[in-house]
Amino acid sequence: MSVAKTKQIFVFFRPLSHQLRRNHSSYTSGNNEPKQRKFATRDFEEIQIPVPWGYIAGKWYGPKHERPLVGLHGWQDNAGTFDTLAPLLPRDLPFLALDMPGHGLSSWLPEGIHYHSIDYVTLINRIMEEFKWDKISLMGHSMSSINSFVYSALFPHKVDLLIGLDVLKPLTRSAEKLVTIIAERIEGISKVERRMRNKSEPPAYEWDQLVERLHMGTDKSVDLDTCKFLLKRNIKPSEHEPHKYYFSRDSRLKNSLFYAFSQQVPVEMSRRITCPHLFIKALQAPYYERKEYYDEVLAILKTKSNFVYYEVEGSHHVHLNEPEKVVPIINSFLEKYRS
């Protein structure tokens, strides 16, 4: 097993995390009532998995001698998205939450290389090869729910179970919208790369401002008091402004390139997925595409005896904000299908 313990990084982030917790404890909501929610915790080990451009960072919970359930986060989030859920999973089940390239504590892609959805699918193969796994168990949220869906269709013999949170499939867009967005993303990448060459530090914010920006930036999908779980791996202290932090994820992520599939492709993919498959839809979250596209694929999946579907009240980040709503469903699925 070629996994490096990241003692240096872990030591660096302990004081930062402590500072974040201290600052957060004084944070109050709009009605001046302090947040009181407490979430369960669970010990984990910070790891690094080597890749050709650097490493993938992750949080390993539980036994190290068994193959884990692998948790993959959404766009511009990080492994912290599972901080409230991981402690509620079965204690004897290893769980590995990863930071995707450019996110969290993972290495950025080299300069001049653009982020693309298919690269995250390729990354799953890299992870399996590094650990010498012949099978993988996947749990993905949003962007990673899509990518796990794609991987499970491309390599059905390699996936022994799939858990998707809130986004079911690659999004189907009209040809007009697709062409427009791709052009905008390519122009956006060029602008970001020009700014990156200046090597200047991004704007820095105080803790309360960071919380507010993340909360509003997700259309209030991430609750104010759960922002801290994403921020721990998403900010660094400013070198120029004391007591302030800046967002440390790769700014090129905002202009990531994505799948350009017609609806026929996810339809075919849904037919090729053979593993036990759980999908949980958050009812207060959008579908991000015309609902008939979602419904068509869902109808195909529902014909399979090992497909499990649930709807829960909550936002796009319900698994982070209210893990108690999804964990019983996940644990029941794992108990039945995780050998």
Side-chain angles (χ1 to χ4, degrees), residues 224-240:
L224 289 169
D225 64 335
T226 55
C227 285
K228 61 184 177 182
F229 297 110
L230 294 175
L231 289 174
K232 286 177 186 177
R233 302 175 77 83
N234 197 20
I235 63 174
K236 289 183 178 179
S238 171
E239 296 181 2
H240 311 296

Side-chain angles (χ1 to χ4, degrees), residues 220-271:
K220 301 181 181 180
S221 173
V222 181
D223 287 351
L224 289 169
D225 64 335
T226 55
C227 285
K228 61 184 177 182
F229 297 110
L230 294 175
L231 289 174
K232 286 177 186 177
R233 302 175 77 83
N234 197 20
I235 63 174
K236 289 183 178 179
S238 171
E239 296 181 2
H240 311 296
E241 300 182 71
H243 311 300
K244 288 189 176 183
Y245 307 89
Y246 62 88
F247 287 100
S248 56
R249 63 193 171 212
D250 192 338
S251 56
R252 290 175 293 174
L253 292 169
K254 294 180 180 179
N255 291 284
S256 299
L257 298 174
F258 49 85
Y259 304 114
F261 295 151
S262 67
Q263 175 67 357
Q264 287 81 3
V265 176
V267 164
E268 178 62 23
M269 286 180 168
S270 68
R271 296 191 178 110

Side-chain angles (χ1 to χ4, degrees), residues 290-333:
R290 284 165 50 185
K291 191 171 180 295
E292 57 261 38
Y293 296 141
Y294 167 92
D295 288 339
E296 182 180 12
V297 169
L298 183 62
I300 295 170
L301 293 171
K302 283 183 173 180
T303 65
K304 303 182 181 188
S305 61
N306 60 357
F307 177 70
V308 182
Y309 176 70
Y310 277 89
E311 296 176 344
V312 298
E313 296 291 333
S315 75
H316 181 56
H317 287 81
V318 64
H319 69 285
L320 172 62
N321 299 326
E322 301 171 285
E324 67 278 2
K325 289 186 175 180
V326 300
V327 165
I329 301 169
I330 292 171
N331 286 351
S332 176
F333 178 79

Side-chain angles (χ1 to χ4, degrees), residues 44 67 115 155 281 290 306:
F44 64 88
R67 179 170 59 84
Y115 291 90
F155 305 102
K281 176 60 186 165
R290 284 165 50 185
N306 60 357

Side-chain angles (χ1 to χ4, degrees), residues 23-37:
N23 287 345
H24 180 77
S25 66
S26 62
Y27 183 80
T28 58
S29 59
N31 59 7
N32 294 320
E33 290 294 328
K35 293 287 186 180
Q36 297 296 333
R37 282 200 299 174

